[in-house]
Amino acid sequence: MEGAWLDISVPFGEEPVAEGEERGAPVGEGTEARADWLKRAAWMGTYVTAPPSLELDLEDTERLPLSATVGKARVLVLDDVDCIRADSLADYEPRKGERLLLRTRNSLREWWKRPQEDACVMLSDAAAQLLLERGVACVGVDYVSRGGFHAEGTRVHQKLREAGVWLIEGLDLSDVKPGMHELVCLPLNMKAEWGSPARALVRALRD
């Protein structure tokens, strides 16, 4: 028996901006301006970050294994930590090939409605290393790591990406309970560098 579907995506365009930066800058005229906007749009809202060997240049859609971001996923609730550390994750015994969604206090704070800041809860380098050692296939987090938001978060996510882990960034997990869920997260079928906006849904799996 399954629960109801929950949309865990952050609305496209509702991402934190630096003070003084304009939200929702207009698209310029001409092909080059549109291409530049599309490149920036790859990091708006909720998005999927692909490993280097499977960049989201979807001229050949067979390069995207849909099983990476579609299927059973386990939600871990880490609301009581300021940083996701290796010992916090080790208690949950991450498994090879598993999809993990990590819910922290970020979701409760609605980070996407706030100015850009460095106070978000994120993965430590040791926690990322643990996930690599356990062979996790996909990790979803309730914050974003793009350059300029948090330099350390960018480095940690780059480490995961280069090791072949798929990343779902910018999730809203505030209404998601811990345990097993069915996950459907699909990036747009668009030509991008190695990220693409996505819509993500989950529903609880019950015995």
Side-chain angles (χ1 to χ4, degrees):
M1 185 72 180
E2 293 81 21
W5 284 104
L6 290 176
D7 189 343
I8 58 173
S9 312
V10 170
F12 186 79
E14 281 203 41
E15 63 286 333
V17 296
E19 289 192 23
E21 181 181 344
E22 182 181 356
R23 185 188 296 273
V27 182
E29 296 183 1
T31 302
E32 186 174 343
R34 293 190 184 96
D36 181 67
W37 181 89
L38 186 61
K39 181 178 179 180
R40 288 185 282 114
W43 312 111
M44 292 182 182
T46 298
Y47 56 87
V48 170
T49 304
S53 60
L54 288 165
E55 293 177 355
L56 288 176
D57 177 352
L58 299 183
E59 291 177 327
D60 177 4
T61 56
E62 292 182 359
R63 298 171 65 196
L64 174 64
L66 298 182
S67 60
T69 56
V70 176
K72 290 184 179 180
R74 185 159 55 119
V75 176
L76 309 184
V77 176
L78 301 156
D79 289 346
D80 58 346
V81 300
D82 295 321
C83 179
I84 302 174
R85 305 187 188 282
D87 55 355
S88 301
L89 288 179
D91 291 340
Y92 291 98
E93 300 181 348
R95 297 183 285 272
K96 183 177 178 61
E98 191 172 27
R99 304 176 192 88
L100 291 179
L101 305 181
L102 309 180
R103 194 190 88 182
T104 73
R105 69 181 75 176
N106 293 334
S107 288
L108 304 178
R109 295 172 60 251
E110 296 187 325
W111 55 267
W112 56 93
K113 296 181 180 179
R114 295 169 175 262
Q116 178 176 302
E117 56 185 25
D118 290 343
C120 62
V121 179
M122 63 178 193
L123 277 164
S124 70
D125 186 74
Q129 185 60 39
L130 174 69
L131 294 175
L132 295 182
E133 292 172 357
R134 298 294 177 89
V136 170
C138 175
V139 177
V141 293
D142 56 359
Y143 69 99
V144 291
S145 67
R146 66 180 183 275
F149 184 73
H150 201 300
E152 186 176 349
T154 301
R155 289 195 301 271
V156 167
H157 280 203
Q158 188 69 3
K159 179 177 183 176
L160 290 169
R161 175 181 172 262
E162 289 176 353
V165 178
W166 284 78
L167 301 173
I168 307 172
E169 304 190 44
L171 293 173
D172 174 11
L173 300 173
S174 54
D175 293 326
V176 183
K177 305 298 183 185
M180 294 302 301
H181 290 71
E182 184 176 2
L183 168 68
V184 175
C185 179
L186 295 176
L188 294 179
N189 190 344
M190 59 179 278
K191 184 174 181 179
E193 288 190 346
W194 42 269
S196 174
R199 191 75 176 266
L201 306 172
V202 294
R203 61 177 175 179
L205 296 175
R206 303 189 179 115
D207 295 333

